[in-house]
Amino acid sequence: MSTTADLVSALKKELKAAQMTYADLARALGMAESSIKRMLARGDMPLSRIDAICRALKLDFGELARRVADAQPLLKELTQEQERAVVADKKLLLTAICVLSQWTLEQVVANYRLSQAECIKCLAQLDRIGIIELRPLNRYRLKLAKAFRWRPHGPVMNYFRDHAVLDYYAGGFDGPGEGLLLVHGSVSRGIAPSFVDRMQRLAQDFAQQHHADQKLPEKEREGYTLVLAMRSWEFEAFAKLRRTPAT
């Protein structure tokens, strides 16, 4: 939610963009210029005064609030409590995954056994949790950064490990546009992070392509799940066959 200080800061930018001086604003509001300067310098004023300044600027208050919200920093990671709230309800988790894919309310209801009322309730919960900002007509703005990821050992990834890993890897990965690569090797510790960076870029490319292809008819699109992983690891059965280093 936008704070009064954020709104006042945005108003200052709008005044500058409109080339409206404090003297001009004072005349429009019927106030002394010194009062305008003092009021804007404090960064705190009643919403009724902010609304009056918006009218002087011929700017809708709702539009100002949206601009402030859009300028807020996006989340790269949720807290444990936020993730725990998401996985506590399977319909809420489903809706969260759908909004990460930028699905509309209509798309969710058309594809899953959720009523419109249930989906709206889930969207409202995601708004309270902080994942989205719910807007009129049940539209929303995603409040997560492009580099967003679930916590490595958080509730969502733990749920994925417990309930989805075996189901995901049970597939043959031999359909159109599918593939599974298992590569093992020893590389320098210094170079390993660069491969993780490349994986992150690939994940972002996938996400951007998803957003671009939302313009296509649904019959031309197919749902895919991309899982990228890299870790220092050895299969336990192999590790048990290692020779004990000579002392």
Side-chain angles (χ1 to χ4, degrees):
M1 183 178 292
S2 305
T3 66
T4 303
D6 293 329
L7 292 169
V8 173
S9 179
L11 278 177
K12 291 178 182 178
K13 294 178 181 177
E14 294 296 332
L15 288 167
K16 185 175 181 179
Q19 297 184 331
M20 178 179 283
T21 66
Y22 287 171
D24 295 332
L25 181 60
R27 284 192 293 273
L29 299 183
M31 297 175 61
E33 183 178 353
S34 58
S35 298
I36 293 291
K37 290 181 178 179
R38 186 165 54 252
M39 183 172 60
L40 291 172
R42 284 201 309 265
D44 186 24
M45 65 182 74
L47 290 179
S48 58
R49 184 69 71 191
I50 292 176
D51 191 42
I53 297 175
C54 285
R55 288 197 298 272
L57 285 165
K58 295 182 173 56
L59 174 68
D60 180 69
F61 178 84
E63 177 60 25
L64 176 70
R66 280 192 292 274
R67 292 180 188 180
V68 171
D70 289 343
Q72 298 300 309
L74 300 177
L75 299 175
K76 293 184 179 180
E77 192 175 81
L78 299 180
T79 65
Q80 289 275 5
E81 291 72 23
Q82 288 171 316
E83 286 200 7
R84 197 173 293 117
V86 171
V87 298
D89 182 335
K90 299 307 172 284
K91 290 183 178 180
L92 183 61
L93 177 60
L94 169 63
T95 308
I97 298 301
C98 288
V99 301
L100 282 171
S101 296
Q102 298 283 1
W103 280 28
T104 63
L105 167 72
E106 293 76 16
Q107 286 176 305
V108 178
V109 172
N111 284 276
Y112 293 103
R113 291 196 299 273
L114 269 72
S115 68
Q116 187 178 62
E118 286 177 315
C119 194
I120 291 173
K121 179 182 177 182
C122 287
L123 290 175
Q125 286 179 272
L126 293 177
D127 178 89
R128 288 194 292 273
I129 291 170
I131 293 176
I132 64 171
E133 177 197 347
L134 193 56
R135 291 180 169 178
L137 302 178
N138 298 311
R139 300 305 182 223
Y140 61 86
R141 180 181 75 93
L142 198 59
K143 298 172 69 174
L144 306 178
K146 290 182 179 179
F148 169 80
R149 69 170 191 168
W150 301 110
R151 300 177 72 88
H153 297 283
V156 174
M157 287 303 298
N158 286 340
Y159 180 87
F160 175 76
R161 292 185 186 96
D162 292 341
H163 301 283
V165 169
L166 293 179
D167 182 44
Y168 180 80
Y169 285 106
F173 293 87
D174 51 359
E178 295 184 355
L180 175 63
L181 302 174
L182 177 61
V183 182
H184 176 75
S186 297
V187 298
S188 73
R189 292 186 178 88
I191 200 67
S194 70
F195 284 96
V196 177
D197 290 340
R198 292 183 212 177
M199 288 167 50
Q200 290 175 338
R201 289 197 296 270
L202 178 58
Q204 290 176 5
D205 288 345
F206 183 85
Q208 289 170 358
Q209 191 63 51
H210 159 77
H211 295 316
D213 286 355
Q214 295 312 295
K215 302 173 185 177
L216 297 175
E218 191 166 351
K219 63 181 181 181
E220 296 182 21
R221 293 181 278 121
E222 183 71 40
Y224 290 91
T225 297
L226 178 68
V227 177
L228 301 170
M230 179 172 171
R231 61 174 289 210
S232 178
W233 170 82
E234 183 176 34
F235 184 36
E236 184 180 3
F238 297 166
K240 289 180 178 179
L241 294 174
R242 278 191 175 271
R243 295 184 184 277
T244 303
T247 56

